[in-house]
Amino acid sequence: MPAPIRLRELIRTIRTARTQAEEREMIQKECAAIRSSFREEDNTYRCRNVAKLLYMHMLGYPAHFGQLECLKLIASQKFTDKRIGYLGAMLLLDERQDVHLLMTNCIKNDLNHSTQYVQGLALCTLGCMGSSEMCRDLAGEVEKLLKTSNSYLRKKAALCAVHVIRKVPELMEMFLPATKNLLNEKNHGVLHTSVVLLTEMCERSPDMLAHFRKVGLVPQLVRILKNLIMSGYSPEHDVSGISDPFLQVRILRLLRILGRNDDDSSEAMNDILAQVATNTETSKNVGNAILYETVLTIMDIKSESGLRVLAINILGRFLLNNDKNIRYVALTSLLKTVQTDHNAVQRHRSTIVDCLKDLDVSIKRRAMELSFALVNGNNVRGMMKELLYFLDSCEPEFKADCASGIFLAAEKYAPSKRWHVDTIMRVLTTAGSYVRDDAVPNLIQLITNSVEMHAYTVQRLYKAILGDYSQQPLVQVASWCIGEYGDLLVSGQCEEEEPIQVTEDEVLDILESVLISNMSASVTRGYALTAIMKLSTRFTCTVNRIKKVVSIYGSSIDVELQQRAVEYNALFKKYDHMRPALLERMPVMEKITTNGPTEIVQTNGETEPAVLETKPPPSGLQPASQANDLLDLLGGSDITPVIPTAPTSKPASAGGELLDLLGDLNLTGSPVSAPAPQVAQPPFLLDGLSSQPLFNDIAAGIPSITAYNKNGLKIDFTFERSNTNPSVTVITIQASNSTELEMTDFVFQAAVPKTFQLQLLSPSSSVIPAFNSGTITQVIKVLNPQKQQLRMRIKLTYNHKGSAMQDLAEVNNFPPQSWQ
Amino acid sequence: MQFMLLFSRQGKLRLQKWYVPLSDKEKKKITRELVQTVLARKPKMCSFLEWRDLKIVYKRLYASLYFCCAIEDQDNELITLEIIHRYVELLDKYFGSVCELDIIFNFEKAYFILDEFLLGGEVQETSKKNVLKAIEQADLLQEVSQFNFSGQSTGMV
């Protein structure tokens, strides 16, 4: 059998392969040869073969059949064998392999070998990939070597101990005695690795930390650091004029841990930190690496304010450095400290803003985040200008975050409403397609609440989409505004700027274009259609045109549009007298948390994105808060708003009634026809119920209750259960008035927990005559699939004796037969 | 440090040192992804990037070789650059003006040198001289051990 080819020869050969297939062939051939060689248990060439195997492994080919061979090499007495064997073990074996444990004995022997280089190999391998079991078995040996006077071994033992501690933290204690003298060494290798070991121990154990603080580790480290800085040129450890930067950095890091939350330690290191911060050479990366670590330490310990300012100024100088790595590191650090040392960081604001123009993407991102953190009431105008400019020119991956950030900052610090609206406009027009979906309802709310800016806003939005209606969020907001404030638009009422001349037809033109356009998303079309509909009450000349548009979409393929169009058509036809009231101007919306989910609340004929608050914990809500009351039914559970099937009258309210079920519709009360369930209504909750009574005549069987009785208003509930659907309960309410004056504009609303569904049918009338001479009846259908206990909160509004009355109540006395 | 990779402009691995236990499959996946990410970086970009939950420090040398280290959150990026620099100096001193081919043909030596400089992901020796001295001595030991009793070289590797 000829001698296996040498490693370098194999490498040369494989590199001549011109294709992957050729290479694979060579590899396979060689592997076969190696395998047979292994089988022959050839000691002489095992080393060579394993080395070749390691090369092929690096190329990506399997080499697991060499694992055992590595063990044999490690066990060999030849240094060459051991060297390759241990290398192979580190490359091919890991803790998952069972073979791994077979190494333990070999390593143990080699840790006690007469040759330090063999011991070194063993320590290196153990410290690199020793499993927990191996570490447990061999910790004692490592500890022994930690106390040796041989610095070559001592330094390796220290790092090996670090690995042992990481793998088996309980063993930390046993290394404590050996640490006593570690820092007395002159050898930098030992010093460095000892500092690493001490760092590991202090980080992991508060007891260790306390111990080392007590035994004076801080002054010892300060001394060593001082010597490094003060001592003259030492060629052995010099890097660009700095003495052993690696050791300096590790000492600074250990000092950080010791000084954290500890006044005494922090004070003891104050001077040296100041010294390093001011005296370190900054022309090369090496010096800056030390400064960087110093800054991190200063910011993390209990340093005095002067030192902190010094640290931030160093970071500020870093920002001006030509080296982008330094700028990157500075921005990262500033981002960490901006909360705690806000004012100091503010001083570097202009430099940070300049970094927005950097070429590196990571730097730009950090600069953007930092910029947003620095915006406040004083600098908002200037900062926004920069950020808007950034938004124009930055990469697409930033635009969404930047837009969201600008909206947030604008909301917090807007100096004026006009500025706020302008800023929103600017974002919508420049980054319109990147704006997040949840921004649209927030913006609409903002615009609604800036009452005096309505004319200006709608004019600007109109102009914005005239040229280009492809950016969906922009078009949505614009459509909504035009729908709401179109009357202001055509009447040319703008105060803030030159009013434009727009005709009703022109406005409808643009909205229709949006409807037709291929670029418009379904949601956007919905906005546009609703806007057109709203204009039917605001425009005077073009109602017929609107009617036509609406009727066309009654047969749209898009179900959402079709539904709306059908409803609007119904408004025109059957409920035309209600149209003005239904489509009235939206009131000022109550301020809500921006984190709330947005939901489309389907109110009759008007589909609006309304903002529903996620239920905050009950303690946060006062029962008096009107808008939230109805939804705060059962202390923390989300509920669905009730969807009435026909408008009922209710008194006008000033504001904050958005979350009312009907979205604040001010309707003229007029008697509606007798309750006719399911007539011309979109399919609602209780499908399948026809108008025939399918109910048991066991009405007598379920007792009725008085749900409410106050101030002369009494509301009784009577119950019926459905034959066909056991989850359905039908409640008929009867409202009577025992006072001497009638109650008008009576509106009954109800809300139930989320597991229920509710349908309110039209009431018999909106007037309750006095002296109990008549009642209003109304039917409620409750779907209770989970057969939960029925609870309800009701809201009553009416006019009485010339004043508007309103009350909320909870109904808890439902008889079990009504829901079980 | 969690791991160090050396790879060429074509994405070929020249050295891989792992200081965390991972399966071969995982290592291959990480290597593939990271190599792709680093190779995609433009020259004007800085030497640091975030990747998964690690910080990556890389340096491109000799126009064709990338040195890439994955460090943890609390590690100092700038000093890691110095670590890379020091390792290159060591290789340079050992091979005498090192180039990529040296590392390819003598990969096992590159590993030996690395293992005298770092241990368990941390720097074990800050003196260039000491690292090189140790390697020299070990090489000598290797030479010696290659001779059997009759004085004939069994020719190492």
Side-chain angles (χ1 to χ4, degrees):
Chain A
M1 172 102 207
I5 68 169
R6 291 170 175 261
L7 170 66
R8 323 253 178 252
E9 177 125 7
L10 177 68
I11 297 176
R12 207 169 296 125
T13 312
I14 292 179
R15 282 172 66 77
T16 63
R18 274 161 301 176
T19 65
Q20 185 76 1
E22 218 182 309
E23 182 185 278
R24 218 183 347 243
E25 215 184 294
M26 294 178 184
I27 301 268
Q28 271 169 1
K29 203 169 113 196
E30 185 57 36
C31 275
I34 291 176
R35 263 197 237 247
S36 40
S37 187
F38 283 162
R39 266 197 297 272
E40 286 167 23
E41 297 281 344
D42 185 323
N43 289 340
T44 327
Y45 296 112
R46 182 176 288 124
C47 177
R48 184 184 293 184
N49 285 327
V50 169
K52 287 186 284 185
L53 207 54
L54 293 180
Y55 177 73
M56 296 189 285
H57 178 253
M58 185 142 66
L59 291 180
Y61 296 93
H64 44 271
F65 55 90
Q67 285 167 4
L68 263 173
E69 302 300 313
C70 291
L71 291 178
K72 293 180 194 164
L73 284 175
I74 291 174
S76 155
Q77 285 313 304
K78 287 211 330 237
F79 184 67
T80 317
D81 285 352
K82 284 191 190 284
R83 232 182 173 189
I84 297 289
Y86 276 118
L87 178 61
M90 284 193 274
L91 287 175
L92 299 181
L93 292 170
D94 62 58
E95 355 192 298
R96 293 136 204 269
Q97 325 286 356
D98 299 322
V99 205
H100 178 87
L101 280 171
L102 296 174
M103 274 202 295
T104 314
N105 223 37
C106 283
I107 294 185
K108 187 167 190 181
N109 291 334
D110 284 343
L111 284 174
N112 292 303
H113 204 273
S114 49
T115 315
Q116 69 174 13
Y117 296 106
V118 173
Q119 289 173 293
L121 286 175
L123 280 168
C124 180
T125 308
L126 181 60
C128 212
M129 39 96 63
S131 64
S132 320
E133 295 93 352
M134 274 175 69
C135 287
R136 247 184 258 272
D137 285 340
L138 301 171
E141 304 295 327
V142 176
E143 198 262 343
K144 230 167 41 191
L145 288 170
L146 195 51
K147 297 191 283 215
T148 175
S149 54
N150 181 337
S151 47
Y152 177 78
L153 292 176
R154 209 167 182 203
K155 72 188 185 200
K156 290 180 194 270
L159 289 182
C160 203
V162 170
H163 179 82
V164 168
I165 291 173
R166 283 180 186 160
K167 283 302 207 182
V168 193
E170 308 92 71
L171 293 175
M172 200 184 336
E173 290 279 332
M174 71 184 285
F175 295 110
L176 187 54
T179 62
K180 248 169 82 171
N181 296 315
L182 275 179
L183 293 184
N184 295 332
E185 272 265 10
K186 289 274 182 275
N187 180 294
H188 280 223
V190 177
L191 278 175
H192 186 276
T193 58
S194 304
V195 171
V196 174
L197 176 58
L198 292 167
T199 307
E200 188 71 28
M201 293 167 108
C202 289
E203 271 178 337
R204 279 182 183 268
S205 158
D207 289 335
M208 287 286 181
L209 183 57
H211 164 83
F212 284 119
R213 277 181 182 142
K214 210 162 61 171
V215 298
L217 182 54
V218 174
Q220 202 176 10
L221 290 171
V222 168
R223 230 179 0 254
I224 299 173
L225 192 50
K226 206 173 208 148
N227 282 335
L228 280 176
I229 304 172
M230 306 294 254
S231 66
Y233 174 73
S234 153
E236 198 178 334
H237 301 110
D238 180 274
V239 181
S240 303
I242 296 181
S243 187
D244 206 338
F246 302 106
L247 182 56
Q248 289 196 36
V249 163
R250 278 327 288 243
I251 292 179
L252 287 162
R253 185 162 150 184
L254 181 52
L255 285 174
R256 178 154 79 241
I257 296 165
L258 290 165
R260 202 180 274 150
N261 293 325
D262 190 275
D263 289 318
D264 292 330
S265 303
S266 299
E267 212 197 297
M269 59 182 80
N270 200 72
D271 288 343
I272 192 69
L273 289 175
Q275 202 177 350
V276 176
T278 40
N279 291 337
T280 309
E281 197 41 61
T282 61
S283 54
K284 292 259 178 81
N285 180 64
V286 165
N288 290 322
I290 295 175
L291 280 176
Y292 176 41
E293 197 74 35
T294 312
V295 166
L296 290 177
T297 300
I298 293 175
M299 299 315 292
D300 217 8
I301 63 172
K302 303 208 134 194
S303 45
E304 42 176 66
S305 59
L307 202 53
R308 292 181 88 84
V309 171
L310 179 59
I312 301 224
N313 288 343
I314 291 176
L315 291 179
R317 272 206 312 277
F318 273 5
L319 283 179
L320 300 166
N321 198 303
N322 285 329
D323 187 339
K324 44 189 152 25
N325 292 333
I326 311 269
R327 292 204 298 276
Y328 176 94
V329 152
L331 285 170
T332 313
S333 312
L334 283 170
L335 207 50
K336 285 193 216 150
T337 65
V338 71
Q339 304 302 333
T340 47
D341 294 84
H342 191 91
N343 291 330
V345 181
Q346 277 283 0
R347 258 179 249 137
H348 301 278
R349 197 178 64 242
S350 52
T351 326
I352 292 169
V353 165
D354 281 339
C355 287
L356 286 172
K357 306 186 183 96
D358 205 294
L359 293 158
D360 184 306
V361 163
S362 316
I363 290 182
K364 269 202 266 217
R365 174 167 284 281
R366 275 169 174 64
M368 180 182 84
E369 287 171 27
L370 205 44
S371 299
F372 279 123
L374 290 175
V375 176
N376 63 24
N378 293 327
N379 60 34
V380 64
R381 280 189 195 265
M383 288 297 276
M384 273 308 165
K385 223 193 300 197
E386 295 288 344
L387 287 164
L388 284 168
Y389 181 72
F390 176 67
L391 183 64
D392 282 342
S393 53
C394 69
E395 284 84 349
E397 64 213 63
F398 289 135
K399 290 206 196 243
D401 286 333
C402 190
S404 298
I406 290 178
F407 286 145
L408 220 75
E411 202 174 314
K412 275 203 258 187
Y413 302 113
S416 74
K417 284 242 158 91
R418 157 103 190 239
W419 180 94
H420 198 171
V421 171
D422 280 340
T423 305
I424 293 174
M425 288 292 312
R426 175 82 184 272
V427 175
L428 284 177
T429 48
T430 52
S433 23
Y434 296 97
V435 167
R436 295 214 163 84
D437 292 336
D438 60 0
V440 171
N442 286 342
L443 294 177
I444 288 177
Q445 186 210 16
L446 259 147
I447 292 170
T448 313
N449 290 355
S450 320
V451 178
E452 63 277 18
M453 303 295 305
H454 285 170
Y456 171 70
T457 310
V458 68
Q459 183 165 295
R460 286 212 58 192
L461 282 168
Y462 173 76
K463 283 200 279 197
I465 64 170
L466 257 188
D468 164 28
Y469 41 87
S470 62
Q471 302 191 84
Q472 300 304 295
L474 171 62
V475 175
Q476 287 168 13
V477 176
S479 304
W480 192 93
C481 283
I482 293 173
E484 273 296 303
Y485 312 122
D487 48 327
L488 300 175
L489 189 57
V490 296
S491 67
Q493 277 180 28
C494 186
E495 279 172 4
E496 300 279 342
E497 62 174 27
E498 191 64 37
I500 56 174
Q501 309 296 339
V502 185
T503 65
E504 293 183 6
D505 276 304
E506 284 170 333
V507 174
L508 289 173
D509 282 341
I510 188 70
L511 286 175
E512 277 191 61
S513 308
V514 170
L515 262 178
I516 299 170
S517 167
N518 286 333
M519 295 184 283
S520 298
S522 181
V523 173
T524 313
R525 289 205 177 92
Y527 274 91
L529 187 60
T530 303
I532 291 177
M533 186 61 190
K534 284 196 223 174
L535 290 174
S536 72
T537 56
R538 290 154 175 75
F539 283 177
T540 46
C541 334
T542 45
V543 184
N544 283 331
R545 177 174 174 182
I546 293 175
K547 267 197 216 173
K548 225 189 295 184
V549 173
V550 168
S551 70
I552 291 174
Y553 280 88
S555 43
S556 164
I557 297 179
D558 185 325
V559 176
E560 179 69 30
L561 282 183
Q562 191 194 104
Q563 181 173 333
R564 286 174 196 227
V566 164
E567 291 173 21
Y568 297 157
N569 265 330
L571 261 187
F572 273 123
K573 298 205 169 72
K574 273 195 95 162
Y575 299 102
D576 202 45
H577 50 284
M578 291 183 199
R579 189 163 46 85
L582 260 178
L583 302 174
E584 244 217 7
R585 186 85 90 226
M586 290 291 271
V588 170
M589 301 182 202
E590 199 172 88
K591 196 82 176 78
I592 39 84
T593 60
T594 48
N595 291 329
T598 56
E599 237 181 277
I600 308 277
V601 174
Q602 186 132 13
T603 57
N604 196 47
E606 189 169 28
T607 318
E608 295 292 341
V611 186
L612 283 174
E613 196 170 11
T614 41
K615 284 335 290 151
S619 52
L621 280 178
Q622 305 131 10
S625 145
Q626 21 167 282
N628 299 330
D629 277 352
L630 230 89
L631 302 180
D632 177 23
L633 177 66
L634 298 162
S637 50
D638 271 350
I639 58 161
T640 53
V642 172
I643 302 168
T645 59
T648 56
S649 54
K650 115 186 208 319
S653 46
E657 301 263 322
L658 175 70
L659 301 177
D660 268 354
L661 311 168
L662 304 174
D664 189 55
L665 306 170
N666 189 19
L667 309 164
T668 54
S670 45
V672 193
S673 48
Q678 309 298 346
V679 170
Q681 307 302 338
F684 263 115
L685 314 160
L686 307 175
D687 271 357
L689 283 179
S690 67
S691 47
Q692 273 94 48
L694 295 173
F695 315 119
N696 273 345
D697 272 351
I698 52 167
I702 310 177
S704 44
I705 59 170
T706 300
Y708 179 91
N709 193 350
K710 222 158 95 175
N711 298 327
L713 174 62
K714 183 154 89 96
I715 300 186
D716 292 324
F717 284 7
T718 48
F719 303 97
E720 287 164 80
R721 300 295 293 268
S722 161
N723 268 340
T724 49
N725 187 345
S727 307
V728 171
T729 304
V730 179
I731 307 173
T732 307
I733 71 157
Q734 291 209 305
S736 56
N737 170 9
S738 62
T739 70
E740 64 273 21
L741 279 180
E742 66 179 5
M743 296 169 179
T744 59
D745 301 298
F746 178 86
V747 174
F748 175 91
Q749 294 165 304
V752 286
K754 204 159 190 182
T755 53
F756 295 81
Q757 287 186 67
L758 206 64
Q759 185 179 17
L760 261 181
L761 304 186
S762 337
S764 58
S765 92
S766 62
V767 176
I768 318 178
F771 299 112
N772 288 328
S773 53
T775 60
I776 290 180
T777 49
Q778 191 166 11
V779 174
I780 308 172
K781 288 182 188 160
V782 179
L783 183 65
N784 181 9
Q786 293 182 30
K787 296 270 189 237
Q788 301 221 339
Q789 178 171 13
L790 183 53
R791 292 153 81 182
M792 190 185 285
R793 184 168 278 214
I794 59 177
K795 181 172 177 181
L796 313 159
T797 49
Y798 56 97
N799 283 336
H800 189 235
K801 295 181 180 160
S803 41
M805 306 283 288
Q806 185 183 286
D807 200 7
L808 286 160
E810 230 183 304
V811 184
N812 280 325
N813 53 338
F814 290 97
Q817 303 94 312
S818 65
W819 49 270
Q820 265 175 352
Chain B
M1 194 183 302
Q2 288 206 0
F3 57 86
M4 181 193 281
L5 303 173
L6 261 71
F7 51 90
S8 72
R9 200 120 221 340
Q10 288 75 41
K12 289 217 142 140
L13 209 55
R14 299 300 178 207
L15 189 144
Q16 51 171 334
K17 189 75 189 181
W18 298 84
Y19 296 111
V20 287
L22 291 166
S23 72
D24 235 17
K25 204 165 106 175
E26 288 166 316
K27 286 181 192 166
K28 280 209 167 106
K29 181 161 185 255
I30 291 174
T31 307
R32 197 172 44 234
E33 279 179 33
L34 196 51
V35 167
Q36 218 174 10
T37 310
V38 172
L39 287 177
R41 300 275 289 181
K42 304 196 208 28
K44 283 224 160 50
M45 293 176 150
C46 67
S47 302
F48 313 131
L49 60 104
E50 285 118 16
W51 186 81
R52 300 197 185 178
D53 59 342
L54 295 168
K55 300 199 275 197
I56 304 294
V57 179
Y58 72 95
K59 224 170 148 73
R60 184 178 170 179
L61 291 152
Y62 315 118
S64 59
L65 201 55
Y66 284 85
F67 287 68
C68 184
C69 299
I71 59 175
E72 279 151 344
D73 203 49
Q74 60 270 45
D75 293 324
N76 182 325
E77 294 97 318
L78 298 179
I79 207 75
T80 308
L81 280 175
E82 292 300 318
I83 291 176
I84 294 176
H85 186 65
R86 173 58 64 88
Y87 181 47
V88 173
E89 281 183 318
L90 291 167
L91 291 171
D92 206 50
K93 209 62 196 278
Y94 183 81
F95 288 110
S97 231
V98 67
C99 65
E100 194 186 341
L101 277 177
D102 290 320
I103 301 178
I104 295 170
F105 277 93
N106 301 285
F107 71 93
E108 86 278 13
K109 301 236 174 73
Y111 275 110
F112 295 152
I113 295 170
L114 186 61
D115 286 341
E116 283 298 326
F117 176 43
L118 304 176
L119 198 159
E122 307 281 353
V123 170
Q124 68 174 283
E125 180 55 69
T126 59
S127 155
K128 235 187 313 191
K129 188 178 87 184
N130 286 350
V131 174
L132 292 168
K133 197 165 72 181
I135 292 289
E136 207 182 290
Q137 297 286 340
D139 280 351
L140 211 61
L141 197 57
Q142 194 172 295
E143 283 289 317
V144 167
S145 76
Q146 278 167 182
F147 288 88
N148 58 24
F149 288 112
S150 63
Q152 270 184 316
S153 168
T154 54
M156 195 255 307
V157 174

